[in-house]
Amino acid sequence: MLLLRCPLLLLLLLPLSSRPQKLPTRDEELFQMQIRDKAFFHDSSVIPDGAEISSYLFRDTPKRYFFVVEEDNTPLAVTVTPCDAPLEWKLSVQELPEEASGEGSGEPEPLEQQKQQITNEEGTELFSYKGNDVEYFVSSSSPSGLYQLDLLSTEKDTHFKVYATTTPESDQPYPELPYDPRIDVTSLGRTTVTLAWKPSPTASLLKQPIQYCIVINKEHNFKSLCAVEAKLSSDDAFMMAPKPGLDFSPFDFAHFGFASDNNSGKERGFLKSSSKFGRQTSSKPRVDLHKVCIGNKNIFTVSDLKPDTQYYFDMFAVNTNTNMSTAYIGTFARTKEEAKQKTVELKDGKVTDVFIKRKGAKFLRFAPVSSHQKVTFSVHSCLDAVQIQVRRDGKLLLSQNVEGVRQFQLRGKAKAKYLIRLKGSKKGASMLKILATTRPNKQSFPSLPEDTRIKAFDKLRTCSSVTVAWLGTQERNKFCIYKREVDDNYNEEQKKREQNQCLGPDTRKKSEKVLCKYFHSQNIQKAVTTETIRGLQPGKSYLLDVYVIGHGGHSVKYQSKLVKTRKFC
C-alpha cells in the first residue's frame, strides 16, 4: 500500500485502499482530488468544492492549486479575486492516468510511472488572465481531468481569493448585480454627496440576506472588497449600520479630511516580516480610505466631506450568509466649491459690524492709504469667542481667540495690505465689532478690566435695595447702570442668551436706568466703585447691567448680575 506523507492534505484524504485515493468533498462524485505523493505537488494546495479560500503570494513566487473533475460534461466555475496587486493566472487541464477513473484492474500503477504520466504532460490551457479585475472561468460542460490553477504576482506580495464549484447554478454564493450596476450621484453639495443604486436581485428576488458596504476615498476606485480590506488595518472593522432613518457620517473628522494624523506613521503592510522568506513589508502612510456597511437600504448620504475635492465611491453587495461580495461599478464626484467670500473693506478709524454664521468665516481687508509705523486692530466679540487671523501681504502675523474686547498692535509696513479672517463659534452665530487704524490715539472701544463681573454684597441687601461693586480702569470712562425686574424662575441659561455685549444703553427703556457716572483711578488696585440701587420691591428678583461707554460713543456691557431683595425686614 502506498503511504502518503503530505501533512497539508492528510486530513482531507480517505484511508487508502486498492482504488486510487479520492478527496472527500461536498460532492464526491463530481469534484475529487487524487494524491499519489507529496513530491508531485510540492507546496501546493487543494481547492475544495464550493468554498472560497484566501491565500497570499510572495512576489515572483508562483503558486499552484489542483482539483480533479472525474466525469465529462461537468459544469465548472472558477473565480479569482486579486486584492491589492495584479495577478497573472492560468487554468489548464490534463488527462489522468487510466487508473484515476477507478475502473482499472484495481492495482495502482507504480509511483514513478504515475508521476511521469502526470508531470510530463503540458496539459491544455483553458483560460489565462493578467490584471487586477475579478475574473471568472465558467463552463457548462467541462471534460474530466486534473485541473491546475497557476498564479503569479510580479509587482509585490499580495493576498488573493479563489472560489471553484461544480454546481454553479445552485450555489450562487456571490450576490447578483442588477441589470444596471452603476452608482448614481443624485445630489451634490459642498460637504455632502448622496448616492443611489439598484438593489441586488439576490436580495429582491431570491430573498437572501444582503447588506451594502460603501467605500470612500480620494485616490481611485476599488474592484473588490478584498482590495479594500488589504488597505485597511486589522482594527478598522466594518462600521455598524446607522439607526433607521439616519444616515451615518463616516467622517467624524474633525476628520473628513479623513484619517487623523496620529496614525500616519503606522505600517500598513498586511504581511509580517519573515526571516524564513527574507522579505519585509515597506512602511506605508495611512490611506484616506473609509468603509461603512449600511444594511439593505439603497440610498445613502455621505457627509462631512471637504469642498472642491474629488472623491471615489464604491459599492459592494455582501451576502451575509457566505460573506462573499460583488462590486457595483464605482463612480466619482467632486464636491462643490465653497461660496466665494465677499471681502469687506475696512476704513481707517471706523467701526465695522460683522455677523458670522455658525462655524462660518468672514474676510476683511485693510489697506492704509498712507505709510505707517504701526497698525492697531480692536475687536469686540459680542457673544462667544471668535478667532481672528491677520496676514500682511500673505504673511501670518496674528492668530488669536477673542472674547470680550481685545486690542492688537502690529508693526506697519509701507504700502502693506492686511487680510483679516474672522472665524465664528461652533456653538452658534457670532456678532462682533472691529476697528482698524494707523492712528494709535484713535480708540473707539473703551478699555476694560480683566474681570468684568458685578459683585453683590449679601449683608447689605435689604427689602428695597441692593449694593453692588465693579472694577474700572486707569482711563476715565462713563459707566451707566440699569435694572430690570425678572421672574423668580429666571435662570442662568436665560441670562446667557441675553449676554450680547454689543447692545448698548440705547436699547434699554428709560425706566430701567438707575444712574450714569464717570470713574477711574490711577492706582489700578483701587479702581473699584460701589453703588446702592434703591426703590426696589421686597422679595423680587432683578437683573443688573453695567455699561462702560468709550470716548467714541461705543459701549461694552459687563456680565449681567441677578440679585434678589429680602422678603422680610
Side-chain angles (χ1 to χ4, degrees):
M1 177 179 290
L2 175 63
L3 177 64
L4 296 176
R5 291 174 294 178
C6 179
L8 292 176
L9 300 171
L10 188 58
L11 296 177
L12 299 175
L13 303 180
L14 291 173
L16 291 174
S17 65
S18 59
R19 296 187 59 183
Q21 182 63 46
K22 302 183 187 301
L23 173 71
T25 64
R26 183 187 53 183
D27 188 337
E28 292 185 14
E29 293 296 320
L30 298 178
F31 202 86
Q32 302 183 35
M33 179 62 207
Q34 300 172 336
I35 302 299
R36 296 291 191 270
D37 186 80
K38 177 180 176 181
F40 281 11
F41 312 109
H42 173 68
D43 195 28
S44 298
S45 300
V46 174
I47 301 178
D49 189 3
E52 186 179 62
I53 61 171
S54 299
S55 189
Y56 62 88
L57 285 170
F58 289 117
R59 181 171 58 86
D60 295 330
T61 304
K63 201 160 194 176
R64 178 171 293 173
Y65 288 87
F66 293 93
F67 57 90
V68 164
V69 174
E70 288 215 336
E71 295 183 5
D72 288 331
N73 304 317
T74 298
L76 178 64
V78 178
T79 303
V80 177
T81 303
C83 289
D84 61 341
L87 295 182
E88 298 179 23
W89 64 273
K90 178 180 69 173
L91 181 67
S92 57
V93 62
Q94 58 180 280
E95 291 183 4
L96 288 172
E98 282 189 21
E99 266 65 22
S101 65
E103 297 173 358
S105 62
E107 291 297 325
E109 293 178 333
L111 179 61
E112 288 303 314
Q113 185 177 344
Q114 295 180 36
K115 179 177 178 180
Q116 288 296 111
Q117 285 182 272
I118 295 177
T119 58
N120 287 347
E121 294 181 17
E122 282 295 322
T124 303
E125 182 177 313
L126 301 177
F127 185 81
S128 64
Y129 174 75
K130 182 178 180 180
N132 59 358
D133 283 326
V134 179
E135 195 56 68
Y136 313 87
F137 169 79
V138 179
S139 173
S140 60
S141 179
S142 297
S144 62
L146 175 68
Y147 284 75
Q148 181 174 301
L149 178 65
D150 295 290
L151 303 104
L152 177 68
S153 173
T154 58
E155 283 194 8
K156 59 179 179 179
D157 301 348
T158 182
H159 274 131
F160 66 94
K161 295 184 178 184
V162 175
Y163 174 79
T165 179
T166 55
T167 54
E169 290 298 322
S170 59
D171 280 5
Q172 297 186 348
Y174 295 98
E176 186 181 347
L177 290 177
Y179 66 91
D180 182 1
R182 294 174 298 180
I183 304 171
D184 295 321
V185 177
T186 60
S187 177
L188 194 62
R190 290 191 297 273
T191 60
T192 60
V193 173
T194 299
L195 307 172
W197 57 94
K198 293 177 175 59
S200 165
T202 306
S204 57
L205 299 179
L206 301 180
K207 305 302 181 184
Q208 292 191 27
I210 297 295
Q211 73 168 344
Y212 299 100
C213 296
I214 299 175
V215 174
I216 309 104
N217 79 105
K218 295 190 286 187
E219 294 182 359
H220 56 78
N221 288 111
F222 287 87
K223 297 182 178 180
S224 69
L225 202 51
C226 173
V228 174
E229 290 165 348
K231 292 291 185 182
L232 295 172
S233 62
S234 59
D235 58 346
D236 288 334
F238 277 155
M239 300 179 186
M240 297 298 292
K243 294 179 180 179
L246 294 176
D247 279 352
F248 175 80
S249 167
F251 314 118
D252 177 16
F253 321 72
H255 253 95
F256 206 172
F258 293 117
S260 57
D261 293 336
N262 56 3
N263 288 326
S264 60
K266 291 185 179 179
E267 286 193 5
R268 299 291 296 177
F270 55 81
L271 290 176
K272 302 293 185 183
S273 60
S274 170
S275 58
K276 176 181 177 182
F277 293 99
R279 297 178 185 268
Q280 292 187 355
T281 55
S282 59
S283 177
K284 298 180 183 179
R286 182 175 175 86
V287 178
D288 278 347
L289 175 67
H290 292 265
K291 173 182 61 181
V292 54
C293 294
I294 59 170
N296 58 6
K297 64 179 179 178
N298 62 330
I299 186 168
F300 185 75
T301 298
V302 183
S303 58
D304 292 325
L305 305 177
K306 284 186 175 181
D308 193 27
T309 304
Q310 183 159 299
Y311 291 95
Y312 294 84
F313 303 95
D314 291 291
M315 173 62 56
F316 300 93
V318 181
N319 187 325
T320 56
N321 281 343
T322 64
N323 204 32
M324 296 164 77
S325 60
T326 306
Y328 279 65
I329 297 175
T331 189
F332 60 89
R334 178 173 288 274
T335 50
K336 291 183 177 180
E337 294 182 9
E338 283 275 22
K340 290 188 177 180
Q341 293 279 357
K342 182 181 178 181
T343 303
V344 178
E345 294 286 342
L346 296 179
K347 294 184 178 180
D348 198 331
K350 183 178 179 181
V351 175
T352 301
D353 294 309
V354 181
F355 175 81
I356 308 173
K357 293 180 180 179
R358 176 176 173 267
K359 294 185 178 181
K362 283 288 178 69
F363 292 89
L364 303 93
R365 183 173 174 271
F366 180 51
V369 294
S370 59
S371 61
H372 55 284
Q373 292 184 333
K374 293 181 179 179
V375 60
T376 302
F377 293 94
S378 299
V379 182
H380 181 190
S381 177
C382 306
L383 299 170
D384 295 312
V386 296
Q387 183 190 62
I388 179 173
Q389 287 185 345
V390 179
R391 295 180 184 271
R392 184 185 63 204
D393 300 330
K395 182 181 179 181
L396 182 66
L397 301 180
L398 171 69
S399 181
Q400 290 277 336
N401 287 330
V402 175
E403 206 165 4
V405 176
R406 290 286 301 275
Q407 183 175 293
F408 306 98
Q409 197 168 71
L410 306 175
R411 182 174 295 179
K413 187 178 179 181
K415 298 182 180 179
K417 293 180 176 59
Y418 300 86
L419 182 66
I420 302 99
R421 180 180 185 266
L422 299 168
K423 187 176 181 182
S425 167
K426 294 181 180 179
K427 299 177 182 178
S430 301
M431 296 172 60
L432 58 96
K433 295 177 181 288
I434 184 169
L435 176 142
T437 181
T438 56
R439 293 168 285 176
N441 296 326
K442 182 72 173 178
Q443 300 299 330
S444 292
F445 298 137
S447 59
L448 288 175
E450 290 186 5
D451 190 347
T452 60
R453 292 176 296 174
I454 303 171
K455 177 177 174 60
F457 298 95
D458 186 62
K459 291 184 178 180
L460 301 178
R461 188 167 55 101
T462 71
C463 292
S464 61
S465 68
V466 293
T467 300
V468 295
W470 63 90
L471 299 177
T473 65
Q474 293 173 313
E475 180 182 329
R476 187 172 185 269
N477 285 317
K478 181 181 179 181
F479 294 87
C480 294
I481 187 165
Y482 284 74
K483 64 174 174 60
R484 177 165 65 93
E485 185 178 335
V486 294
D487 295 334
D488 288 339
N489 59 1
Y490 188 89
N491 55 38
E492 290 296 321
E493 186 63 31
Q494 290 173 284
K495 187 174 75 171
K496 187 177 180 180
R497 288 200 297 266
E498 298 178 2
Q499 287 296 336
N500 186 343
Q501 292 187 340
C502 294
L503 294 178
D506 55 326
T507 63
R508 304 297 294 262
K509 297 177 181 178
K510 289 184 178 180
S511 59
E512 295 176 350
K513 183 177 178 180
V514 177
L515 59 85
C516 290
K517 68 177 184 180
Y518 286 90
F519 163 71
H520 78 290
S521 175
Q522 293 301 321
N523 185 348
I524 193 66
Q525 303 296 329
K526 296 182 178 180
V528 182
T529 185
T530 61
E531 196 65 46
T532 299
I533 301 158
R534 308 180 190 279
L536 307 179
Q537 298 297 316
K540 296 293 184 180
S541 296
Y542 293 88
L543 192 68
L544 304 182
D545 289 307
V546 170
Y547 298 88
V548 55
I549 303 169
H551 301 302
H554 293 282
S555 64
V556 179
K557 187 174 74 169
Y558 279 45
Q559 297 179 42
S560 300
K561 181 66 178 179
L562 187 64
V563 297
K564 189 174 183 179
T565 56
R566 296 187 185 276
K567 194 171 184 179
F568 303 103
C569 295

